[in-house]
Amino acid sequence: MAAQFGRRLRKGAATTAVAAVAVAALSASQAPGVNDHGRQAAADATPSPEASASDGSATGNSPYYTDLPPLKSPNPSPSTGPAPGGAGATEAGIPATVLDAYKKAEATLREAKPGCNLPWQLLAAIGRVESGQARGGRVDADGTTIEKILGPQLDGNGFALIKDTDDGAYDGNSSYDQAVGPMQFIPSTWAWAGRDGNGDGKKDPNNIYDAALAAGHYLCRNNWDLSQQSELDRAILSYNNSRDYLNLVMRWLDYYRKGTHEVPDGTGTLPDNRSDDGTGASPTPTVPGTTTPAGSTPGPGPKPDKPGKPDKPAGGGTTTPKPPTTPPGTPSTPPTTPPTPTDTVDHLENAGTAKLTAMAGDAFDRRISTRAETEAGKAVAKVRVRFTIVGDTDTTFTGGEDVATVATNSSGVAVAPALRAGEKTGTVTVRATVVGRAVPGLDYKATVTERAADALARTGDTALTCAPGGTFANQVEVKATYKGAVADGVAATATLIKSADDPTAADKGPYFKNAEGKPVRTLTGLKTDAKGLLKLPELYADDTTGTFLLRVTTAGGATLTVELTVAAAETSSPAPSASPSA
């Protein structure tokens, strides 16, 4: 099976050409249609022109499998039912544990990020393209791959150049990064995107439950709504920055939407062709003098030439070896690798970030900007900067994440996603660091203040009166606003005060009751509801008559004083008696 997985049918440009012809054939054979939800079919939807790929990606733009789905899609069938008949039945089968992981990830994201609208079929499409569904479902009972799935080392030799960021912890390579696991995360991305999907207390990129959930969160960041084609495009491109990749994933997404079924683990269909066919690389390359990381299994690689057969020139005969141009014994000079933009970064500078302050529950109206510079102060573009919210806080970036990685632009500036304040008040620290470069981080301070109101008003104008020893017929209700908008969740205090000039609590007159039924004249811990309303408990009167004041105050300084009257009921005068008749 491993040999089948590693087999290549074509190399180099031939693979690209065949894939292009196959895509054209698919486009010609499948007319545009509408799926069951009324949306344009994914395979027929044209990627939006606004979709732009970021400089970074989940996979480091590692190679992927280019096998296309069959021209005939499977008949729609329950995903757990028997295999559908007709062409495509085999390719539609997804190993049981892998399928379960995708569906559990979708269910988790439906609750955690309902606005994302993540379909599990998208995870299946990416899992198919990245690893052939964990190599046909070669996973154990817990969902961990039997053997590690590693992409080629990203050493700049036909691939991106990403030097080691994890000291080999995930990929076993302390020189360069490699994409890891069934969803092919590079270590620097897994460090913040990793999730524990099977509840074992670990975040393991080699576990399909962990990897599928992490992929779901990754695709749902930035508040993307994947039911919108333009945002779906952006999410897929952020996973692997390639238009060909986007089109291929969309084909598999549409294919799986039309019908899938469960197959036993280890029996899934394995892909044959890869996007780097002919480059001379393999998912776990071996270099003379080095060893393959323990526990890993090489994926598809180039077929070695047969030994002992010299090359033949076009006219026949044997090629005469040319004498070496370097005298024997002369030490060879190893090739030097040109420095990457990341290698040239000396420090990070604040790129004009203004004061960061927001009320609890609100979005910060300013964003953090960081500039990567060389030692000489020159801006460095195309460098990945990681922004991490540190400390005990519930403040997050928009989308609910506490880590975001952004590539610097042509001016060397990376702008973090907008921050959204949580309910915990105080100072929040956001740390900017360079991915893959050990330079000091740069800390930014943001302040979360408590929810506030700047105005209070009664919702009614009925006079508040009561007889001595009685109960006020109407409860006091107020509405809080801040800059004209509803002020929800604002802390408030209600106090029956002595006078307009003396805000201390009165010792006689109207009162509230505590849980034990005893009189109290100050209530704390009150909060306005989602509509900014606050309805106070019932008020009672002792035997003291007169006019009294109730004062309501909130965080932010809003104050409202309400007048209360306690008076004995008026008695009516007796009617005059009739005069006697004459």
Side-chain angles (χ1 to χ4, degrees):
M1 183 174 294
Q4 179 188 2
F5 187 76
R7 187 174 66 249
R8 299 185 183 198
L9 299 182
R10 299 164 184 85
K11 293 185 178 180
T15 298
T16 304
V18 170
V21 171
V23 170
L26 274 171
S27 300
S29 64
Q30 293 177 329
V34 176
N35 64 18
D36 293 339
H37 302 288
R39 296 196 302 267
Q40 186 179 9
D44 303 307
T46 302
S48 66
E50 314 88 53
S52 60
S54 62
D55 289 319
S57 70
T59 68
N61 298 328
S62 293
Y64 54 90
Y65 290 97
T66 58
D67 296 56
L68 292 161
L71 293 177
K72 290 186 177 181
S73 297
N75 297 322
S77 64
S79 61
T80 56
T90 302
E91 289 81 355
I94 299 177
T97 299
V98 177
L99 181 60
D100 184 56
Y102 295 151
K103 291 187 174 182
K104 284 189 175 178
E106 179 199 55
T108 300
L109 268 298
R110 189 186 304 122
E111 181 177 347
K113 296 182 179 180
C116 176
N117 296 305
L118 170 79
W120 66 260
Q121 291 92 340
L122 175 59
L123 297 176
I126 290 176
R128 168 74 190 202
V129 170
E130 291 293 346
S131 69
Q133 310 297 18
R135 290 187 174 162
R138 288 179 52 80
V139 296
D140 64 19
D142 296 322
T144 302
T145 58
I146 303 299
E147 297 160 329
K148 286 187 177 180
I149 302 175
L150 297 177
Q153 66 177 13
L154 301 174
D155 57 4
N157 182 24
F159 311 108
L161 175 57
I162 303 179
K163 294 186 178 180
D164 177 62
T165 61
D166 66 330
D167 199 25
Y170 294 119
D171 55 16
N173 190 335
S174 58
S175 297
Y176 300 95
D177 272 353
Q178 295 174 243
V180 181
M183 303 304 279
Q184 289 289 278
F185 279 96
I186 54 174
S188 59
T189 302
W190 183 262
W192 62 266
R195 293 292 190 278
D196 177 14
N198 61 353
D200 64 356
K202 297 183 295 184
K203 299 176 183 179
D204 182 3
N206 300 296
N207 182 278
I208 186 58
Y209 288 99
D210 295 359
L213 184 58
H217 275 281
Y218 186 89
L219 294 164
C220 286
R221 71 196 194 287
N222 298 331
N223 271 355
W224 281 328
D225 178 358
L226 304 186
S227 66
Q228 302 297 318
Q229 186 65 47
S230 61
E231 298 190 11
L232 176 61
D233 292 349
R234 291 189 180 94
I236 296 172
L237 283 171
S238 78
Y239 209 90
N240 192 309
N241 184 1
S242 164
R243 276 284 168 177
D244 290 337
Y245 181 88
L246 167 62
N247 293 333
L248 182 61
V249 169
M250 292 294 290
R251 291 287 173 184
W252 280 106
L253 170 59
D254 188 48
Y255 181 76
Y256 285 135
R257 273 177 167 161
K258 291 177 180 177
T260 60
H261 59 279
E262 179 183 294
V263 299
D265 290 344
T267 66
T269 302
L270 303 176
D272 290 313
N273 305 298
R274 229 173 49 147
S275 60
D276 65 329
D277 278 352
T279 64
S282 63
T284 309
T286 56
V287 180
T290 65
T291 58
T292 300
S296 64
T297 298
K303 294 180 179 180
D305 295 330
K306 294 182 179 180
K309 290 188 178 181
D311 294 333
K312 293 182 180 181
T318 303
T319 303
T320 303
K322 294 181 180 180
T325 57
T326 304
T330 302
S332 60
T333 302
T336 58
T337 302
T340 66
T342 300
D343 293 332
T344 67
V345 177
D346 177 75
H347 59 274
L348 294 174
E349 286 286 341
N350 187 341
T353 303
K355 185 177 180 181
L356 298 165
T357 303
M359 195 181 298
D362 289 350
F364 286 77
D365 58 0
R366 300 179 185 275
R367 296 163 70 177
I368 294 172
S369 297
T370 297
R371 184 172 56 254
E373 296 183 353
T374 64
E375 186 176 4
K378 184 179 178 181
V380 185
K382 296 185 178 180
V383 172
R384 290 184 298 157
V385 176
R386 179 180 297 141
F387 296 95
T388 306
I389 301 173
V390 299
D392 182 18
T393 179
D394 54 356
T395 292
T396 64
F397 291 113
T398 302
E401 304 292 346
D402 57 10
V403 178
T405 301
V406 181
T408 57
N409 59 20
S410 58
S411 300
V413 175
V415 181
L419 285 167
R420 176 165 290 279
E423 296 302 319
K424 293 182 179 179
T425 60
T427 301
V428 176
T429 299
V430 180
R431 181 165 300 149
T433 56
V434 178
V435 176
R437 180 75 169 162
V439 298
L442 186 61
D443 285 354
Y444 295 82
K445 301 296 182 183
T447 302
V448 179
T449 61
E450 62 181 329
R451 294 174 182 257
D454 56 14
L456 283 173
R458 278 190 66 194
T459 57
D461 56 4
T462 303
L464 299 168
T465 61
C466 180
T471 302
F472 284 83
N474 298 298
Q475 292 178 248
V476 177
E477 184 181 66
V478 299
K479 182 174 183 177
T481 56
Y482 183 79
K483 295 182 179 180
V486 167
D488 61 312
V490 178
T493 299
T495 305
L496 292 150
I497 60 177
K498 290 182 176 180
S499 68
D501 298 325
D502 186 356
T504 57
D507 52 7
K508 58 183 179 180
Y511 60 90
F512 300 106
K513 288 183 180 181
N514 62 15
E516 289 78 31
K518 295 180 179 179
V520 292
R521 291 186 170 87
T522 298
L523 295 178
T524 59
L526 306 173
K527 278 192 176 182
T528 60
D529 64 14
K531 297 180 179 179
L533 299 176
L534 172 63
K535 192 169 188 177
L536 298 180
E538 283 187 316
L539 276 164
Y540 304 89
D542 60 14
D543 294 333
T544 309
T545 59
T547 300
F548 304 89
L549 299 178
L550 168 66
R551 180 162 292 173
V552 182
T553 59
T554 68
T559 301
L560 176 67
T561 302
V562 180
E563 189 173 279
L564 308 172
T565 302
V566 179
E570 293 183 2
T571 56
S572 56
S573 301
S577 57
S579 57
S581 56

